[in-house]
């Protein structure tokens, strides 16, 4: 059940997975007896609309990294598997495209060119700057690894993981001030949960230096919109790059669109491409029919 159902259908047929009866559903209006479904494979927002009808459901393979729609459902008597291990390079490219944009002041050089001014604008190196990474899972670790290629200092904000060799210092929940103080750049990659919702509020933003740039490519609910808008308008934060929002698509009336120091990308930092996602399903399906442990099983209690 996916917006890319036609592509997944082609991949499924080519894979010739054994013992599987395929039912292709690409919209919520399709009529089907879901009570006979053992396995679901699809987009979380679509599958969440029918998951309660799947009384025999044993396993749901999500096509996205974010699964808030499924976690908000009362149904939890099945294995939910997420998407991991496919977004690292895309997120590295996204994050460092903007880190380099700001550090090397590409906008300033462009303006000098338009004004026919030879004198170079101010610019800086990433070397020696401090990058804070909120969420140090496999994607956060990949960003930290790239940061070390640029000789940056790294801080990790995490609930549990502390084994990344590319993180210089770790911080945990309730230690936000120490984590945020002195950051040059902040990248938020946190999942959506009760603990992360509204985490970046006015108090958190007040800990960041005025020259700090915030990038959120995790979940839109992590940021309190009014707090960020206030910080950007008051120039207590240099800039923000937002790829995710509490409501998507971002409404035309939202104040974010009109802020000169806020950069909107349309949830494109690390997209779920069928050719990347299908091998995860195929591998897990082979495990499923053999009775083996599935990979990337999510925890309903934690929300990730």
């Amino acid at each position: 059940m996916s917006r890319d159902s036609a592509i997944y259908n082609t991949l499924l047929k080519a894979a010739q997975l054994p013992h599987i009866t395929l039912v292709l559903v690409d919209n919520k209006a399709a009529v089907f007896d879901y009570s006979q479904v053992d396995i679901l494979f699809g987009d979380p927002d679509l599958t969440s609309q029918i998951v309660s009808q799947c009384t025999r459901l044993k396993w749901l393979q999500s096509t996205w990294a974010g699964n808030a729609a499924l976690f908000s459902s009362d149904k939890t008597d099945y294995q939910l598997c997420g998407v991991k291990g496919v977004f690292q390079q895309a997120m590295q490219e996204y994050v460092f495209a903007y880190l380099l944009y700001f550090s090397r002041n590409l906008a300033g050089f462009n303006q000098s060119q338009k004004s026919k001014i030879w004198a170079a604008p101010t610019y800086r190196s990433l070397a020696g700057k401090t990058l804070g990474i909120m969420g140090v899972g496999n994607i956060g670790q990949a960003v930290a690894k790239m940061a070390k290629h640029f000789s940056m200092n790294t801080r990790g904000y995490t609930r549990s993981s502390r084994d990344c060799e590319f993180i210089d210092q770790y911080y945990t929940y309730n230690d936000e001030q120490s984590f945020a103080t002195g950051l040059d750049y902040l990248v938020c990659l946190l999942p959506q949960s009760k603990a992360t919702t509204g985490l970046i509020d006015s108090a958190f933003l007040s800990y960041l230096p005025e020259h700090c740039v915030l990038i959120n490519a995790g979940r839109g609910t992590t940021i309190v919109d009014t707090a960020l808008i206030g910080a950007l308008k008051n120039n207590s934060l240099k800039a923000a790059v937002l790829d995710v929002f509490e409501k998507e698509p971002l409404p035309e009336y939202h104040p974010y669109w009109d802020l000169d120091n806020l950069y909107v990308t349309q949830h494109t930092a690390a997209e779920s491409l069928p050719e990347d996602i299908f091998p995860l399903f195929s591998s897990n399906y082979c495990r499923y029919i053999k009775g083996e442990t599935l990979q990337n099983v999510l925890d309903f209690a934690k929300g990730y």
Side-chain angles (χ1 to χ4, degrees):
M1 194 170 194
S2 170
R3 294 165 179 80
D4 296 313
S5 57
I7 300 175
Y8 283 119
N9 184 38
T10 299
L11 293 170
L12 278 162
K13 289 181 177 178
Q16 296 183 332
L17 298 177
H19 315 300
I20 189 170
T21 300
L22 177 64
V23 177
L24 191 65
V25 181
D26 57 11
N27 65 75
K28 64 181 180 180
V31 177
F32 181 73
D33 181 10
Y34 293 107
S35 65
Q36 303 303 307
V37 171
D38 296 303
I39 300 171
L40 272 177
F41 176 39
D43 303 346
D45 63 334
L46 297 182
T47 54
S48 66
Q49 296 171 17
I50 54 90
V51 69
S52 62
Q53 302 174 46
C54 302
T55 54
R56 286 178 42 180
L57 183 65
K58 300 295 189 298
W59 163 45
L60 194 163
Q61 176 64 60
S62 170
T63 58
W64 296 355
N67 294 280
L70 290 165
F71 286 128
S72 63
S73 171
D74 292 332
K75 186 174 177 63
T76 60
D77 58 345
Y78 65 95
Q79 292 190 89
L80 172 61
C81 293
V83 175
K84 295 183 180 181
V86 298
F87 299 127
Q88 291 96 321
Q89 181 173 336
M91 193 62 74
Q92 286 175 327
E93 293 177 0
Y94 178 84
V95 168
F96 280 88
Y98 281 97
L99 294 193
L100 290 166
Y101 173 85
F102 288 108
S103 66
R104 299 295 298 190
N105 193 9
L106 300 190
F109 278 95
N110 183 252
Q111 185 57 50
S112 292
Q113 178 180 345
K114 290 181 178 179
S115 303
K116 300 180 181 179
I117 297 174
W118 178 253
T122 301
Y123 64 95
R124 294 178 176 82
S125 170
L126 288 177
K129 297 300 186 292
T130 301
L131 171 65
I133 302 172
M134 303 182 78
V136 195
N138 55 6
I139 297 176
Q141 292 178 28
V143 171
K145 180 179 181 180
M146 182 63 71
K148 286 305 176 184
H149 286 301
F150 286 94
S151 301
M152 299 184 76
N153 303 313
T154 55
R155 298 180 187 175
Y157 180 89
T158 179
R159 178 188 293 272
S160 56
S161 57
R162 288 176 169 271
D163 57 352
C164 178
E165 63 180 302
F166 307 110
I167 295 293
D168 298 321
Q169 293 175 289
Y170 273 103
Y171 299 80
T172 59
Y173 292 98
N174 300 319
D175 201 13
E176 290 82 15
Q177 184 170 2
S178 297
F179 167 76
T181 300
L183 290 180
D184 297 298
Y185 302 96
L186 171 62
V187 175
C188 183
L189 302 169
L190 291 170
Q192 183 173 333
S193 69
K194 290 182 179 179
T196 62
T197 298
L199 179 61
I200 299 180
D201 56 10
S202 295
F204 186 101
L205 291 169
S206 70
Y207 305 143
L208 297 171
E210 292 183 356
H211 67 271
C212 185
V213 174
L214 183 158
I215 299 175
N216 186 21
R219 295 291 170 260
T221 53
T222 303
I223 293 178
V224 177
D225 288 354
T226 53
L228 180 59
I229 291 168
L232 292 171
K233 284 185 174 180
N234 296 331
N235 293 315
S236 57
L237 188 70
K238 180 177 180 179
V241 180
L242 304 181
D243 187 56
V244 289
F245 306 88
E246 187 168 3
K247 183 177 181 181
E248 296 183 4
L250 185 66
E252 293 183 5
Y253 57 80
H254 201 287
Y256 279 159
W257 291 113
D258 300 317
L259 293 172
D260 291 336
N261 53 350
L262 188 141
Y263 299 74
V264 172
T265 58
Q266 295 75 11
H267 209 138
T268 55
E271 297 183 274
S272 294
L273 303 177
E275 56 267 32
D276 294 329
I277 305 304
F278 180 75
L280 302 180
F281 171 78
S282 178
S283 176
N284 258 348
Y285 179 76
C286 293
R287 289 172 174 270
Y288 178 82
I289 62 175
K290 293 177 182 178
E292 297 176 353
T293 301
L294 300 182
Q295 295 180 316
N296 304 325
V297 177
L298 303 178
D299 188 326
F300 284 100
K302 294 180 179 179
Y304 57 89

